[in-house]
DNA sequence: CTCCTATCTTGACAGTGACAGGATAGACAG
DNA sequence: CTGTCTATCCTGTCACTGTCAAGATAGGAG
């Protein structure tokens, strides 16, 4: 649950040139060191603070301590940055599901419920990223990096539904819609009656609800 | 399904001053006549064409044939316009559910399924408006007009779940999440296996899925 | 007929994304 | 050590956006 971060290097890069003669306030070097990762990290923070609609490329650059045009070289334009961010988000979205699956019972039904819990975990922990993935027009799903990671998340769902005995399109749709609906409503801070529960009680209720999607199991 | 429109006057207002001496290209009068409704209509069209994130207040004004600052007098700012639009959307959202309910069987379970079909109808017919209502930060739900119409939609759901025998928070959440998840995924053009069905087949599948939310019925 | 007020316009400002051209520095060859 | 090459980053500019201030217009009340 804790510790998701998009920078992928925990150390803030900013490799200063060994301070040969720096007057201590020499500030940043001309070359950043790992600007691409820093921009992704800054973009996520900006998104979390100002929301999807208040997102600004220039603010991201400022937060990363860099000029307003610097992001262009790494991502092309704002859409490119958000596409890369969404791709990374889909990977962590799958990781959140996997984290639940490893601590769950190994039978297919329990694994399916665990994936649903991970789906919801991610939506609650990072609601703006969740919106970027599912409801925004800006990420370009034609870009292979994003298209593949999104498809991987979808395929994981399909596989689990099949393993749990789901056979029809309706079964797939029911499981997906239920998990997604819970996640989206919780991310938007609706469903307060569920969201305000203690973690254990909330998990139990979410699990109970998700099980309803597959009546025959 | 057809014919939703936010202008609420079907006639384009533009009451010209009876053409006393107009040289035929005298164009629009200084006062519009029903600018508020025209702006709501234009805003919906812009939203449908350019998407939530490409929305521009100046484009709305231009589409309504009016100066860029004209909307301010009726709505204050962009948030005010989108708040009014969302409030109207919630009313039509309820109307879409009511339309399905009137042609459905009158037992509580059928009425609940009908409401779910209306929920999905609206999301498919007007996806961007659906996003504005559920996933945007911009409408201000503290404004009574919007707060009340949103609450009315929520209350309608709660009442129907209760009438159909739902008793717990989990029952309410399951029904809402299932309908909402289907609607959102269909609005985003996911769930292609469902969306590409003929209307009758699609309705049958959506109904089948929604019935899963209340296992005891 | 006069004035009052709601309605709409024009003009300005800071902030935005994108682009062009220039500055910097690390790497590599000799 | 020197010179060049290239990826990286910066400054300056453009059209466009939302918001505010101030002025123009017209419909209606007195």
């Amino acid at each position: 649950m804790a510790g998701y971060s998009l920078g992928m290097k925990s150390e803030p890069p900013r490799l200063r040139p060994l301070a040969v003669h720096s007057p201590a306030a020499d500030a940043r070097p001309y070359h950043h060191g790992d600007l691409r990762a820093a921009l992704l990290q800054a973009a996520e923070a900006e998104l979390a603070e100002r929301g999807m609609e208040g997102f600004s490329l220039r603010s991201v650059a400022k937060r990363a301590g860099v000029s307003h045009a610097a992001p262009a070289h790494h991502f092309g334009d704002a859409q490119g940055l958000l596409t890369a961010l969404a791709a990374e988000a889909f990977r962590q979205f799958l990781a959140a599901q996997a984290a639940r699956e490893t601590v769950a019972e190994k039978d297919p039904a329990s694994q399916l419920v665990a994936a649903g819990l991970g789906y919801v975990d991610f939506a609650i922990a990072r609601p703006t990223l969740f919106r970027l993935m599912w409801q925004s027009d800006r990420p370009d799903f034609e870009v292979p990096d994003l298209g593949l990671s999104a498809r991987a998340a979808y395929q994981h769902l399909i596989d689990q539904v099949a393993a749990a005995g789901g056979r029809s399109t309706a079964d797939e749709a029911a499981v997906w819609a239920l998990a997604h609906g819970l996640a989206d409503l919780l991310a938007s801070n609706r469903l307060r009656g569920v969201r305000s529960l203690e973690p254990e009680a909330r998990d139990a209720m979410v699990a109970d609800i998700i099980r309803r999607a597959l009546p025959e199991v």
Side-chain angles (χ1 to χ4, degrees), chain A:
Chain A
M1 176 97 49
Y4 294 124
S5 183
L6 242 34
M8 70 207 57
K9 304 221 174 151
S10 55
E11 196 71 13
R14 186 93 5 136
L15 324 163
R16 319 191 51 174
L18 280 179
V20 179
H21 64 306
S22 80
D26 197 29
R28 58 177 202 271
Y30 198 94
H31 286 67
H32 183 284
D34 197 1
L35 183 56
R36 194 190 141 90
L39 286 171
L40 285 174
Q41 197 172 330
E44 190 196 356
E46 283 285 316
L47 225 41
E49 284 178 17
R50 328 234 295 202
M52 188 70 242
E53 281 135 1
F55 181 81
S56 149
L57 192 57
R58 283 169 113 107
S59 281
V60 171
K62 187 175 298 182
R63 178 183 281 261
V66 102
S67 87
H68 64 261
H73 189 268
H74 293 275
F75 298 103
D77 54 7
Q79 173 168 318
L81 204 180
L82 292 171
T83 297
L85 190 59
E88 188 57 31
F90 268 105
R91 284 187 277 272
Q92 298 195 0
F93 174 67
L94 258 182
Q97 296 175 251
R100 284 284 194 169
E101 291 164 22
T102 57
V103 299
E105 304 291 326
K106 299 308 174 199
D107 61 291
S110 298
Q111 288 287 299
L112 180 60
V113 169
L117 286 168
Y119 204 119
V120 167
D121 283 345
F122 185 88
I124 291 179
R126 316 177 82 186
T128 317
L129 228 41
F130 187 82
R131 274 191 197 168
L132 176 70
M133 296 159 61
W134 296 106
Q135 282 110 15
S136 174
D137 299 326
R138 305 181 73 173
D140 180 4
F141 284 80
E142 303 300 317
V143 171
D145 182 34
L146 174 55
L148 290 175
S149 61
R151 243 181 298 269
Y154 174 74
Q155 193 57 47
H156 182 249
L157 172 91
I158 299 301
D159 292 346
Q160 273 187 323
V161 171
R167 300 229 143 259
S168 63
T169 303
D171 289 336
E172 293 169 3
V175 171
W176 191 4
L178 200 37
H180 184 79
L182 277 173
D184 187 44
L185 291 173
L186 287 168
S188 310
N189 205 19
R190 269 125 217 208
L191 280 183
R192 307 241 170 111
V194 177
R195 186 144 182 183
S196 58
L197 295 172
E198 297 298 311
E200 300 80 16
R202 193 180 67 200
D203 287 355
M205 185 172 287
V206 169
D208 163 47
I209 293 174
I210 290 185
R211 267 188 281 268
R212 303 183 185 200
L214 286 183
E216 63 270 24
V217 176

